[in-house]
Amino acid sequence: MCTVVVRVDPRSAWPVTMLAMRDESPSRPWDPPAAWWPDRDPAVRGVRDREAGGAWLAASDERGLAVVLNRWEDVPSADGTWTTRGVLPLDAVADRELPGHDGSVPTTRAFNLVRATASGAEVLSWDGVRVRTTELGPGVHMVTHGEPDDPAAPRIGRWLEAFRQVAAPDGPPELAPFDELRAAEARSDAGDGSDAGSDAGDGWGPWFGVLAASAALSPDDPDAILRDTVEPEGHFATLSIVAAAVGHGRTVLQHARLADPGDVSGSVELHRA
């Protein structure tokens, strides 16, 4: 199950910053951020699911960023089929109508759709019973497979306060996620609070420091953010990490694809969009 950390500050030049970890079956093919949907909008780029053709994350300069997470609830289907959740981020950044806008019932499985624009951030949720929107007010929030900021949820209960207690990034990331993690580990190894290692000074170090600390857990621990575990639905692992900032007329993201699912100590493939 994916994990998203969001900081909201409407007064900032970059009102929303986001750290997102994508968990998926390692055998499911996908592509890194690019403009994969020119027929929809050539300005939209995102992480594409090759199997269903949709997106885990989609972004545009004018309409911000959206990322979809699976929820835990089971949603029955009369014919055993569902619309892919991957259409949701694309519709969000293409300014199209989303499920529930007219009282209609979504034809997808359960989801949390995190939407970030220069106006703020919100979570559109479908739990199989109703569609609802939760506004994320100023501050730091965490979303996984249930309710936003739910302290009873694994990962949120363990790590949300840790993210809140450190300085949040307030602008675009300069280093790629893998480099941010290595810099955070170097500062930790220094043990004296200094900025050891290659610190870009972009404000993302504290969040990546928390992420690096979480990597000390076994990847199959329920509280692990960087995951590699077998669940009832199958094998899921953290396949990529995105650091992003949404401003007025600009969306910037850094993406790292893990060569070894769930393992940030190995090689990565880096992308900037």
Side-chain angles (χ1 to χ4, degrees), residues 9 23 72 87 110 193 244:
D9 182 357
D23 299 345
W72 65 269
V87 302

Side-chain angles (χ1 to χ4, degrees), residues 19-263:
L19 180 64
M21 279 60 64
R22 179 175 183 254
D23 299 345
E24 183 54 87
S25 168
S27 63
R28 189 174 179 115
W30 61 284
D31 295 301
W36 300 112
W37 306 274
D39 53 328
R40 276 178 166 263
D41 186 339
V44 171
R45 65 268 195 206
V47 176
R48 181 176 67 168
D49 172 25
R50 287 187 204 165
E51 189 169 298
W56 166 63
L57 176 150
S60 79
D61 282 331
E62 294 302 319
R63 300 186 183 95
L65 180 151
V67 57
V68 67
L69 300 82
N70 298 351
R71 284 182 65 99
W72 65 269
E73 297 93 348
D74 183 34
V75 177
S77 169
D79 62 1
T81 63
W82 295 265
T83 302
T84 175
R85 285 170 285 210
V87 302
L88 299 168
L90 295 173
D91 286 345
V93 298
D95 235 7
R96 299 186 181 183
E97 293 177 333
L98 293 170
H101 74 278
D102 57 359
S104 60
V105 175
T107 56
T108 67
R109 297 178 188 266
F111 64 81
N112 282 327
L113 179 69
V114 182
R115 303 176 67 188
T117 69
S119 299
E122 64 183 22
V123 181
L124 181 72
S125 300
W126 161 239
D127 61 5
V129 177
R130 63 191 178 98
V131 178
R132 61 193 184 282
T133 300
T134 303
E135 181 180 354
L136 301 181
V140 174
H141 306 272
M142 198 167 180
V143 185
T144 58
H145 61 290
E147 299 307 299
D149 298 338
D150 180 5
R155 287 169 281 163
I156 294 178
R158 177 73 176 267
W159 298 108
L160 176 56
E161 287 307 313
F163 279 106
R164 285 177 169 171
Q165 288 171 10
V166 299
D170 61 1
E174 296 297 331
L175 287 180
F178 183 74
D179 295 323
E180 292 277 11
L181 279 169
R182 283 294 175 86
E185 290 170 349
R187 291 191 294 273
S188 176
D189 291 343
D192 58 2
S194 66
D195 290 336
S198 56
D199 183 5
D202 57 3
W204 283 83
W207 270 17
F208 275 96
V210 175
L211 185 60
S214 78
L217 295 177
S218 170
D220 60 357
D221 189 300
D223 283 328
I225 298 176
L226 300 169
R227 306 180 59 74
D228 189 357
T229 183
V230 176
E231 301 178 355
E233 299 83 4
H235 179 198
F236 289 88
T238 303
L239 304 183
S240 63
I241 304 171
V242 167
V246 178
H248 298 274
R250 184 95 188 276
T251 301
V252 176
L253 65 87
Q254 294 270 14
H255 173 269
R257 177 177 188 151
L258 306 184
D260 298 314
D263 182 9

